[in-house]
């Protein structure tokens, strides 16, 4: 069994790049994609279109973009980390920049990691590979 | 000490001292001249008295000796016998003779011997034989008595004898005693002698006169035995009763006649003049009390002193007046300049003279007038300046707002640019991977160009973000040991240093500077990194980088020098602009934003960065950091950024 990841990303190209990178780096990773923060919350809390808990299992790690329409990454982070039911889910911020303010704010809200998306695809691939290696092989996750 | 005195007092003192010297010199000289003149006069007067009285005494004694000689020669010898005086009639004749002489002298005191005083002073006339027995005498009681032997011997030896003033051996009265031999008219043999006893008062009459002797002066006569033989003014009955063993008398008998000051027989200090009388072997003394003798000198001295004091007083007053006149304008000037120094420019000095002080006052008035004008101008300019300052302040605020806006924009824009860029880069990579077999060489080249372009653009965005981050984040100034900072940077760059085999020299000891330590590290990292890279690009010379420091006025000045290919002077301004690339990528890697970043950080500190270089001769980059930055501040008061320049 691969790692079960929820990717929250509104840019279609970034979604494609990320999915391809994961496919290449660790093909057995199970990735679900939602395109904004509200959808992410619905998915995790089994609300709206994702009420079927058996079909939409909670992710082991959430990869969360910051700049998104409707409900941005910080808002998602704040809600999920403020809720006892969802606080245990590790959230790694997946941002285009590594702005200090964003980094600090993310950790203050309870993020479990902060990754800048590299522009270069080879770099991107390396990052994904190591991300996967860390969360799957090195880090111990709680049972879902 | 003089420096503490007020000007007026100084001038008074100086004028006073100047006047004092001639007064003192003239006074002292005049005193001494006059004093010796007065002394000379006093002494001369005394000498005149002694001279005339000595002559008088000598004269009167001589006259009486002549009288005695006349009596002895003219009358008596014809009646006297060589054989002796046994004949009573003869003796009676002699007795009659002297009686008649005596009588005649008493009757006609002014007759023949009119030079002698009015009444005769001959008291006794005696005639004695060769044995010294008195055979006739005007005083009959004395007949038959004998004369002292030394009188007889002297008379017979010298023919005439002046015994001086002695007690009459027969009567005990003080008498001047004259003896004269009597010779026989025919044979010429000595047959006896005649004696004249003259009243001692004869001398007193001469010496007691007071003319020319003042209040305390007197004259008296002293004989060889230092006995006073005249009556003293001050001591009754002094004849032969007073011993005059004084310095004056001794000097006189030793024939050293001179004006002397000594203590006389009365134990009084006197000024004395002496005259020796050789015929009588006497000394005539003239004495005046020193007190009186020099009284005129004393009086003169007092008068001189009084005059001197008066002159000093007048001089002092004159000096005071003169100093007032001299210093009054200066004091006025002083007071006026004090007013001016307090900012009162409406003072006007009266110009009362045409001398230097008058000119000074005129100039001073002109100066205060100009000062007032200049002050007014200055105030006017100040107002304008404040207006401009206010405008500047508001402009600065606007500028800052625009800057911040711009920074936010750059941040957002570069952030937003990344997503599509990542798309371009990634999909080019996918194309390369997935369609490797279906794309020919040309196609592969194009894909490569797309990837390169994306990478380059990524760098540009990184730089933009870095620049905007520099503006957004400001670290408080802290004391930073530049030596440690440079060491840390070199440590970070040691890989490159080794790789290019660069010699790094830190020329002098680097100071501790108050600055944003993190950003200053960035500056040196960029400078040294650039220098390493530039110096390594020139062939033929081992790469070398010099790091140095010097104090430049209120600035700390650091420089980093390389021995690379240098920079043409026409690019010296441009290179600090954003994204200026002077060299192709092949020659130089690194970012175009490095120098812009340096410029922005240094200017945020209120400093300046510039380059000194010529093409082919290496380049030296200088940065100035103000030395007066305060710990804890986040912005230099000198910081002024032009937003349009580098964004």
């Amino acid at each position: 069994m691969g790692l079960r990841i929820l990717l929250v990303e509104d840019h279609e190209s970034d979604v494609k790049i990320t999915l391809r990178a994961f496919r290449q780096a660790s093909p057995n990773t199970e990735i679900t994609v939602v395109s904004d923060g509200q959808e992410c919350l619905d998915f995790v809390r089994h609300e709206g279109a994702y009420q079927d808990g058996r079909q939409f299992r909670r992710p082991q790690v959430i990869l969360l973009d910051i700049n998104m329409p409707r409900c941005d990454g910080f808002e998602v982070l704040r809600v999920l980390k403020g809720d006892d039911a969802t606080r245990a889910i590790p959230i790694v911020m997946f941002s285009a920049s590594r702005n200090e303010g964003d980094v600090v704010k993310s950790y203050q809200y309870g993020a479990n990691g902060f990754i800048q998306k590299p522009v270069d695809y080879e770099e991107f691939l390396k990052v994904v590979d190591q991300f996967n290696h860390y969360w799957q092989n090195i880090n111990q996750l709680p049972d879902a | 000490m003089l420096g503490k005195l007020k000007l007026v007092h100084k001038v008074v003192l100086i004028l006073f001292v100047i006047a004092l010297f001639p007064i003192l010199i003239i006074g002292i000289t005049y005193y001494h001249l006059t004093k010796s003149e007065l002394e000379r006069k006093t002494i001369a007067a005394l000498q005149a008295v002694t001279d005339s009285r000595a002559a008088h005494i000598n004269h009167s004694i001589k006259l009486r000796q002549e009288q005695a000689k006349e009596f002895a020669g003219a009358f008596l010898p014809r009646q006297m016998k060589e054989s002796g005086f046994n004949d009573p009639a003869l003796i009676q004749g002699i007795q009659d003779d002297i009686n008649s002489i005596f009588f005649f002298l008493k009757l006609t005191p002014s007759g023949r011997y009119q030079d002698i005083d009015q009444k005769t002073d001959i008291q006794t006339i005696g005639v004695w034989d060769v044995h010294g027995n008195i055979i006739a005498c005007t005083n009959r009681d004395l007949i038959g008595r004998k004369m002292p032997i030394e009188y007889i011997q002297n008379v017979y030896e010298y023919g005439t004898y002046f015994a001086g003033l002695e007690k009459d051996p027969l009567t005990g009265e003080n008498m001047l005693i004259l003896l004269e031999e009597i010779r026989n008219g025919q044979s010429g043999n000595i047959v006896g002698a005649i004696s004249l006893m003259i009243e001692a008062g004869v001398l007193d009459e001469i010496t007691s006169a007071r003319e020319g002797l003042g209040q305390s002066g007197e004259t008296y006569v002293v004989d060889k035995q230092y006995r006073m033989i005249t009556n003293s003014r001050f001591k009754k009955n002094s004849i032969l009763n007073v011993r005059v063993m004084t310095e004056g008398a001794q000097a006189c008998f030793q024939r050293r006649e001179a004006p002397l000051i000594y203590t006389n027989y009365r134990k009084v200090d006197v000024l004395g003049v002496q005259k020796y009388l050789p015929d009588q072997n006497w000394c005539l003394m003239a004495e005046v009390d020193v007190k009186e003798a020099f009284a005129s000198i004393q009086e003169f001295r007092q008068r001189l002193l009084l005059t001197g004091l008066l002159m000093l007083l007048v001089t002092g007053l004159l000096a005071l007046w003169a100093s007032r006149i001299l210093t009054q304008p200066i004091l006025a000037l002083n007071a006026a300049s004090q007013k001016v120094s307090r900012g009162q420019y409406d003072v006007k000095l009266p110009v009362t003279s045409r001398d230097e002080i008058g000119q000074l006052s005129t100039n001073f008035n002109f100066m205060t007038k100009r000062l007032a004008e200049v002050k007014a101008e200055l105030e006017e300019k100040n107002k304008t300046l404040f207006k401009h300052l206010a405008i500047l302040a508001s402009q600065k605020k606007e500028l800052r707002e625009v800057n911040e806006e711009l920074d936010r924009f750059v941040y957002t824009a570069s952030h937003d640019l990344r997503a599509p860029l990542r798309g371009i880069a990634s999909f080019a990579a996918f194309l390369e991977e997935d369609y490797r077999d279906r794309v020919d060489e040309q196609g592969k080249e194009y894909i490569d160009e797309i990837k390169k372009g994306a990478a380059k653009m990524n760098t540009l965005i990184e730089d933009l973000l870095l620049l905007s981050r520099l503006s957004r984040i400001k670290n408080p100034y802290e004391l930073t040991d530049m030596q440690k900072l440079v060491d840390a940077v070199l440590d970070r760059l040691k890989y490159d240093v080794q790789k290019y085999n660069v010699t790094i020299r830190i020329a002098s000891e680097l100071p501790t500077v108050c600055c944003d330590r993190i950003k200053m590290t960035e500056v040196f990292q960029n400078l040294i990194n650039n220098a390493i890279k530039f110096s390594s690009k020139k062939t033929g010379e081992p790469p070398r980088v010099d790091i140095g420091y010097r104090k430049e006025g209120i600035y700390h000045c650091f420089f980093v020098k390389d021995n690379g290919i240098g920079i043409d002077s026409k690019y010296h301004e441009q290179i600090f602009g954003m994204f200026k690339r002077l060299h192709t990528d092949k020659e130089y890697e690194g970012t175009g934003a490095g120098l812009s970043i340096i410029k922005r950080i240094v200017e945020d500190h209120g400093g300046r960065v510039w380059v000194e270089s010529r093409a082919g001769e290496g380049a030296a980059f200088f940065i100035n950091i103000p030395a007066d930055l305060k710990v804890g501040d986040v912005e230099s008061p000198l910081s002024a950024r032009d937003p349009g320049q580098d964004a």
Side-chain angles (χ1 to χ4, degrees):
Chain A
M1 266 303 280
L3 196 64
R4 192 165 62 250
I5 294 173
L6 176 66
L7 174 66
V8 190
E9 174 63 75
D10 63 325
H11 276 104
E12 215 171 312
S13 62
D14 275 2
V15 172
K16 283 181 183 168
I17 293 163
T18 311
L19 289 177
R20 182 183 166 108
F22 270 102
R23 202 163 55 238
Q24 285 186 322
S26 66
N28 57 355
T29 307
E30 187 186 321
I31 299 182
T32 312
V33 180
V34 290
S35 58
D36 63 54
Q38 189 54 55
E39 211 179 333
C40 169
L41 291 176
D42 287 351
F43 185 91
V44 175
R45 294 189 292 202
H46 301 302
E47 287 169 359
Y50 305 101
Q51 286 189 357
D52 185 353
R54 226 177 290 161
Q55 187 188 345
F56 308 109
R57 291 180 64 193
R58 276 191 177 169
Q60 286 175 299
V61 180
I62 300 175
L63 264 176
L64 182 61
D65 190 18
I66 292 176
N67 287 322
M68 286 180 299
R70 287 219 284 178
C71 174
D72 75 0
F74 292 122
E75 182 62 20
V76 173
L77 189 61
R78 199 179 58 77
V79 172
L80 290 182
K81 288 297 181 183
D83 186 348
D84 285 345
T86 54
R87 186 178 295 136
I89 306 168
I91 299 176
V92 174
M93 308 307 284
F94 206 46
S95 168
S97 79
R98 53 162 198 274
N99 181 294
E100 299 81 10
D102 289 354
V103 175
V104 171
K105 200 170 166 187
S106 300
Y107 280 105
Q108 275 172 347
Y109 284 172
N112 301 84
F114 193 105
I115 295 172
Q116 189 195 4
K117 289 181 258 186
V119 169
D120 186 70
Y121 181 67
E122 277 176 39
E123 293 289 322
F124 200 107
L125 205 55
K126 271 186 208 161
V127 167
V128 166
D129 186 36
Q130 283 175 16
F131 173 87
N132 209 63
H133 178 63
Y134 175 79
W135 286 107
Q136 189 161 28
N137 305 330
I138 296 172
N139 192 45
Q140 186 61 51
L141 289 164
D143 291 330
Chain B
M1 196 188 83
L2 211 61
K4 281 184 192 165
L5 286 175
K6 278 189 170 181
L7 189 62
V8 176
H9 298 154
K10 258 188 245 179
V11 174
V12 169
L13 201 67
I14 290 165
L15 289 177
F16 190 72
V17 168
I18 289 172
L20 191 66
F21 270 107
I23 289 175
L24 273 181
I25 289 166
I26 291 169
I28 289 169
T29 315
Y30 185 55
Y31 172 72
H32 278 287
L33 286 175
T34 314
K35 186 186 166 198
S36 55
E37 175 66 18
L38 282 172
E39 279 176 0
R40 205 181 57 73
K41 270 188 182 166
T42 311
I43 290 163
L46 279 179
Q47 270 167 344
V49 169
T50 51
D51 283 351
S52 79
R53 290 187 185 179
H56 199 163
I57 290 168
N58 193 37
H59 183 61
S60 29
I61 304 289
K62 280 272 153 66
L63 269 179
R64 283 167 177 80
Q65 279 177 325
E66 272 170 34
Q67 250 181 325
K69 203 167 269 176
E70 205 169 322
F71 297 155
F75 295 92
L76 299 171
R78 57 185 163 86
Q79 299 166 0
M80 291 187 75
K81 286 198 172 175
E82 278 175 76
S83 52
F85 297 99
N86 298 322
D87 185 355
L90 179 64
I91 292 168
Q92 187 57 52
I94 293 168
Q95 183 67 43
D96 290 345
D97 264 358
I98 53 172
N99 277 351
S100 64
I101 290 168
F102 199 51
F103 182 70
F104 176 75
L105 282 172
K106 292 219 172 181
L107 266 184
T108 56
S110 58
R112 186 154 169 214
Y113 309 112
Q114 54 192 331
D115 325 30
I116 310 175
D117 303 315
Q118 295 280 312
K119 64 177 179 26
T120 185
D121 40 36
I122 298 172
Q123 202 179 56
T124 314
I125 301 172
V127 176
W128 17 294
D129 63 14
V130 288
H131 307 295
N133 300 315
I134 295 176
I135 52 167
C137 186
T138 51
N139 183 349
R140 284 176 187 269
D141 296 343
L142 300 175
I143 293 170
R145 307 271 298 263
K146 209 170 167 84
M147 276 300 235
I149 188 71
E150 76 263 26
Y151 288 7
I152 300 161
Q153 283 170 351
N154 275 315
V155 162
Y156 290 156
E157 194 170 347
Y158 302 109
T160 180
Y161 177 58
F162 178 59
L165 191 139
E166 294 290 347
K167 277 192 188 338
D168 188 333
L170 306 174
T171 62
E173 288 175 60
N174 291 329
M175 291 289 163
L176 287 163
I177 301 171
L178 292 173
L179 299 170
E180 195 67 41
E181 63 177 7
I182 303 171
R183 287 177 186 267
N184 185 289
Q186 277 92 48
S187 64
N189 293 331
I190 293 172
V191 293
I194 184 168
S195 66
L196 297 189
M197 301 294 177
I198 299 157
E199 289 171 17
V202 170
L203 293 176
D204 272 353
E205 274 166 29
I206 298 169
T207 57
S208 64
R210 303 264 299 266
E211 297 91 55
L213 289 169
Q215 292 298 310
S216 63
E218 64 169 337
T219 53
Y220 56 89
V221 180
V222 178
D223 72 6
K224 187 65 188 158
Q225 285 84 48
Y226 292 102
R227 295 175 303 178
M228 190 181 283
I229 54 170
T230 53
N231 267 314
S232 162
R233 261 181 75 191
F234 304 99
K235 270 195 173 170
K236 289 249 167 81
N237 202 17
S238 63
I239 296 173
L240 294 181
N241 289 327
V242 174
R243 208 169 150 76
V244 189
M245 200 57 165
T246 60
E247 204 185 321
Q250 282 172 322
C252 185
F253 282 114
Q254 287 163 17
R255 314 304 307 278
R256 289 185 286 108
E257 293 151 321
L260 283 175
I261 293 172
Y262 56 89
T263 310
N264 77 350
Y265 68 96
R266 288 182 289 131
K267 310 289 176 215
V268 172
D269 286 340
V270 290
L271 171 68
V273 168
Q274 319 85 35
K275 184 85 185 172
Y276 181 66
L277 302 168
D279 290 334
Q280 292 79 33
N281 204 12
W282 284 346
C283 204
L284 176 66
M285 312 288 295
E287 291 173 350
V288 179
D289 281 8
V290 166
K291 230 184 270 170
E292 191 192 345
F294 298 126
S296 54
I297 295 171
Q298 198 73 30
E299 194 189 340
F300 166 71
R301 191 160 60 190
Q302 278 171 359
R303 220 179 303 156
L304 193 69
L305 231 96
L306 203 70
T307 315
L309 283 176
L310 213 79
M311 279 174 81
L312 284 184
L313 189 73
V314 170
T315 309
L317 287 173
L318 275 174
L320 197 68
W321 176 73
S323 71
R324 279 276 154 79
I325 290 209
L326 280 175
T327 57
Q328 198 275 331
I330 295 174
L331 295 181
L333 198 65
N334 190 27
S337 62
Q338 270 178 0
K339 269 191 191 170
V340 170
S341 70
R342 283 197 300 266
Q344 271 175 271
Y345 297 124
D346 55 347
V347 285
K348 193 161 167 61
L349 284 174
V351 181
T352 50
S353 59
R354 284 194 176 187
D355 57 11
E356 287 84 345
I357 286 175
Q359 279 175 1
L360 189 61
S361 303
T362 312
N363 290 341
F364 185 86
N365 286 339
F366 181 70
M367 188 183 78
T368 51
K369 194 175 144 235
R370 278 295 298 150
L371 268 176
E373 285 169 12
V374 168
K375 193 189 172 199
E377 273 173 45
L378 206 63
E379 275 167 358
E380 193 56 39
K381 281 188 178 150
N382 255 346
K383 260 185 227 164
T384 322
L385 195 66
F386 278 124
K387 242 181 266 171
H388 285 301
L389 274 180
I391 293 169
L392 269 180
S394 79
Q395 279 177 346
K396 196 178 174 188
K397 194 168 160 253
E398 274 172 44
L399 203 64
R400 186 173 297 151
E401 281 164 7
V402 169
N403 251 330
E404 281 165 9
E405 180 75 23
L406 201 70
D407 284 334
R408 269 196 302 278
F409 167 75
V410 167
Y411 172 68
T412 320
S414 49
H415 190 270
D416 285 351
L417 283 172
R418 279 205 153 154
L421 187 62
R422 189 161 43 249
I424 293 167
S426 300
F427 287 107
F430 299 166
L431 202 63
E432 194 180 26
E433 279 175 28
D434 297 356
Y435 297 86
R436 198 188 306 269
D437 305 334
R438 274 171 281 175
V439 180
D440 60 8
E441 285 305 309
Q442 187 72 48
K444 277 177 191 163
E445 212 180 296
Y446 293 160
I447 293 169
D448 213 37
E449 283 302 319
I450 294 171
K451 281 172 74 183
K452 263 195 217 159
K456 197 165 174 179
M457 190 158 169
N458 188 39
T459 315
L460 291 178
I461 290 170
E462 289 286 350
D463 287 348
L464 267 178
L465 281 170
L466 181 60
L467 265 177
S468 84
R469 200 173 74 222
L470 286 175
S471 315
R472 276 182 292 112
I473 295 172
K474 290 201 158 68
N475 307 301
Y477 296 142
E478 56 187 299
L479 288 174
T480 307
D481 184 339
M482 296 306 283
Q483 194 80 48
K484 278 187 186 164
L485 187 146
V486 169
D487 286 345
V489 168
L490 286 174
D491 190 54
R492 221 179 290 172
L493 293 170
K494 68 182 170 197
Y495 171 74
D496 280 346
V497 173
Q498 278 168 4
K499 180 175 154 196
Y500 298 115
N501 194 24
V502 182
T503 311
I504 307 265
R505 295 195 306 199
I506 302 178
S508 50
E509 214 156 277
L510 303 179
T512 295
V513 171
C514 186
C515 64
D516 181 336
R517 187 173 52 79
I518 295 164
K519 287 189 186 173
M520 203 47 70
T521 309
E522 190 104 38
V523 167
F524 276 85
Q525 168 119 19
N526 272 301
L527 280 177
I528 297 170
N529 193 31
N530 283 350
I532 289 171
K533 283 179 180 150
F534 286 166
S535 61
S536 63
K537 284 295 188 306
K538 192 180 178 187
T539 48
E541 246 180 282
R544 203 181 66 235
V545 172
D546 289 306
I547 301 164
Y549 167 80
R550 62 173 185 248
K551 189 86 200 283
E552 253 184 23
I554 59 158
Y555 291 101
H556 295 294
C557 180
F558 296 92
F559 61 86
V560 178
K561 206 164 96 187
D562 63 62
N563 63 343
I565 56 170
I567 301 164
D568 195 303
S569 63
K570 65 183 169 188
Y571 298 119
H572 284 187
E573 290 295 324
Q574 284 185 33
I575 51 170
F576 295 103
M578 189 70 168
F579 305 129
K580 287 286 177 213
R581 297 224 172 202
L582 305 180
H583 311 284
T584 60
D585 287 16
K586 230 180 264 173
E587 270 179 289
Y588 292 103
E589 49 194 65
T591 72
L595 289 172
S596 302
I597 289 163
I598 291 168
K599 181 179 163 79
R600 175 166 280 197
I601 293 173
V602 170
E603 286 180 356
D604 276 350
H605 279 80
R608 193 167 78 88
V609 58
W610 72 98
V611 64
E612 288 175 12
S613 170
R614 266 187 293 180
E617 288 179 15
F621 284 85
F622 292 84
I623 57 169
N624 265 353
I625 306 291
D628 60 350
L629 298 178
K630 304 259 187 317
V631 173
D633 281 1
V634 290
E635 194 175 349
S636 165
L638 294 168
S639 154
R641 252 179 50 213
D642 178 1
Q645 193 179 332
D646 50 13

